[in-house]
Amino acid sequence: MSMPYKFNAFMIADNDECNFTKIESEFPELDEYDCLIRVEYCGVSHTDLLAPAGTVPGHEVVGVVEDVGSFVKNLEPGVRVGVGWQLSSCQACRFCNSNRENLCPDKKSFKDALLGGFGEFIIWDSRFVHVIPEQIPSAEVAPLLTAGASVYAPLKQLNIMPTSRVGIIGIGGLGHLAIKFVKAWGCHVVALSSSYSKKDEAIKFGADEFISIHNNLEALRTIKPLDVILSTVSIPVDWNNLFQLLNPYGKFVMLGAVPFPMSLDGNLLINKKISLIGSIAASPECIRSMMEFVTEHSIKPEIEIMEMTSENCQIACQRVGRNLARYRIVLKNLKFDVSDESINHDQEEDEEESNHDEQKDS
């Protein structure tokens, strides 16, 4: 593909109504560690709704390397890659030197990028660009790069045992993936939701039990104690009653962003030696490990694919903001060159399987 001098992206014009405007941008000269990526798909996350007006959001990006900076040795044009929430880090602190770049005090996120993934191209620090295993389709891997990695990280890093009983609060874009990952980890999964209508889907995703927690204190008292609770919600809930569900030495892990003060009885932590743990976006090493786990266990997010237009960017963000997505929305770049061999791989596999089925039926 010949490089265009200019390209299009979709900028937030109004946060209140999630209005988007199509803009035209020019390519800057790449820095030494930069990677220019032609966007194929970009997932839509609650975090994108926090991007200020006048910026281009999007950080669950899958595409193909178009060009790289002079110091980049592990990537080359044509390779299928993805990026998540983190844009870069200092590469010099004790966290960066121990594969914990996500804790770097000078880390930068997608909000610091020239443009996010709601467009035709992005430029990212190559050290935070990940080669995608060929077994995972592009549209499906996009939400995994942030949401999937976020629910996988505590399983890997907090030594959660496969014999554990794990409660998951919220069955949304993050929560439905948490059910799938935790079940694949081998745990007993208890889905906790304020919406009883999600019971059947929660069970389908892998939950062993479902409890409606909306004004349902009696039901909470019937739950066998839990070893871990993963909270994926960003709304106020009855924290005290939920903490009472934990066994001694239990872990309560905050995955959903909570933009308000938490009211919690400290004695609940003291008397059972319960840990309250925050979990930020995963490190590059953890993201790579996550993709290996996904490949091994065939984990797939539930997605809706929409064409990437100004109107659809607005609709997608509104649906995510109102918790109407089922369960992750992924935007497809209409100008992506589908003739690229690396992208047609999944389609060719589907056609081969279809032809094989036809031969069996004939």
Side-chain angles (χ1 to χ4, degrees):
M1 171 184 169
S2 60
M3 287 291 295
Y5 180 66
K6 298 181 179 181
F7 64 100
N8 296 320
F10 299 95
M11 180 186 73
I12 298 178
D14 176 21
N15 287 95
D16 293 335
E17 297 297 327
C18 293
N19 288 327
F20 280 79
T21 299
K22 185 177 181 179
I23 63 170
E24 190 174 68
S25 185
E26 298 182 359
F27 289 103
E29 184 175 347
L30 296 183
D31 287 338
E32 295 166 337
Y33 285 102
D34 277 350
C35 180
L36 174 65
I37 301 170
R38 180 160 44 99
V39 176
E40 182 186 11
Y41 290 100
C42 182
V44 182
S45 164
H46 270 280
T47 310
D48 293 317
L49 308 184
L50 304 178
T55 63
V56 175
H59 60 283
E60 297 177 339
V61 179
V62 177
V64 169
V65 175
E66 197 70 39
D67 197 6
V68 296
S70 59
F71 282 12
V72 180
K73 306 302 181 184
N74 62 325
L75 298 170
E76 59 184 19
V79 174
R80 187 173 66 129
V81 296
V83 306
W85 176 87
Q86 191 166 0
L87 171 68
S88 66
S89 70
C90 77
Q91 298 291 309
C93 69
R94 63 189 179 98
F95 299 106
C96 290
N97 289 328
S98 57
N99 295 319
R100 295 177 293 169
E101 297 93 335
N102 56 326
L103 299 179
C104 172
D106 294 321
K107 62 180 174 289
K108 293 183 179 180
S109 75
F110 74 101
K111 297 178 185 178
D112 301 300
L114 173 67
L115 296 171
F118 286 20
E120 296 170 4
F121 291 87
I122 60 169
I123 294 176
W124 225 256
D125 187 319
S126 61
R127 293 162 291 193
F128 293 84
V129 175
H130 313 285
V131 176
I132 305 299
E134 63 178 11
Q135 298 94 328
I136 313 177
S138 295
E140 292 178 2
V141 77
L144 299 176
L145 292 164
T146 296
S150 293
V151 299
Y152 173 77
L155 296 174
K156 178 179 172 64
Q157 296 168 353
L158 300 180
N159 297 318
I160 295 175
M161 301 298 293
T163 55
S164 298
R165 288 176 51 83
V166 180
I168 296 169
I169 306 173
I171 317 299
L174 201 56
H176 92 283
L177 281 171
I179 292 175
K180 295 188 177 192
F181 273 87
V182 174
K183 186 64 177 180
W185 198 257
C187 303
H188 184 92
V189 180
V190 181
L192 305 167
S193 173
S194 61
S195 177
Y196 188 81
S197 63
K198 292 185 177 180
K199 177 180 179 180
D200 290 343
E201 286 188 296
I203 300 299
K204 182 184 75 172
F205 298 149
D208 298 288
E209 301 176 46
F210 177 93
I211 303 294
S212 175
I213 60 175
H214 181 64
N215 296 326
N216 199 2
L217 186 58
E218 290 185 5
L220 289 179
R221 289 171 177 165
T222 67
I223 299 176
K224 184 180 177 181
L226 303 170
D227 301 300
V228 181
I229 293 177
L230 303 181
S231 176
T232 70
V233 298
S234 300
I235 57 174
V237 294
D238 190 339
W239 303 110
N240 288 315
N241 280 326
L242 292 170
F243 270 80
Q244 289 180 17
L245 300 178
L246 285 167
N247 272 316
Y249 293 100
K251 299 180 177 70
F252 195 103
V253 184
M254 302 295 297
L255 296 175
V258 184
F260 45 79
M262 292 177 62
S263 178
L264 180 64
D265 182 355
N267 288 323
L268 295 174
L269 305 181
I270 296 170
N271 294 336
K272 290 186 179 180
K273 292 194 172 182
I274 289 172
S275 301
L276 173 58
I277 304 167
S279 185
I280 195 172
S283 68
E285 181 186 54
C286 188
I287 291 174
R288 291 190 291 271
S289 175
M290 178 274 299
M291 287 194 286
E292 292 176 0
F293 186 78
V294 165
T295 301
E296 180 181 354
H297 295 278
S298 300
I299 298 173
K300 298 181 178 181
E302 306 295 319
I303 61 173
E304 305 174 42
I305 298 177
M306 302 174 65
E307 296 179 346
M308 190 182 292
T309 64
S310 296
E311 180 181 5
N312 282 347
C313 287
Q314 178 185 26
I315 293 172
C317 288
Q318 288 176 341
R319 284 175 57 79
V320 169
R322 296 167 185 168
N323 295 318
L324 298 176
R326 290 296 180 268
Y327 276 85
R328 305 290 295 194
I329 295 178
V330 179
L331 299 172
K332 177 175 176 57
N333 175 18
L334 293 174
K335 290 191 176 182
F336 187 83
D337 183 7
V338 295
S339 65
D340 189 289
E341 184 178 311
S342 64
I343 302 306
N344 274 341
H345 177 76
D346 299 323
Q347 181 179 345
E348 290 169 1
E349 280 190 345
D350 293 340
E351 290 175 354
E352 288 176 4
E353 291 175 2
S354 177
N355 291 336
H356 181 63
D357 292 339
E358 289 174 4
Q359 290 171 4
K360 287 194 301 181
D361 294 338
S362 60

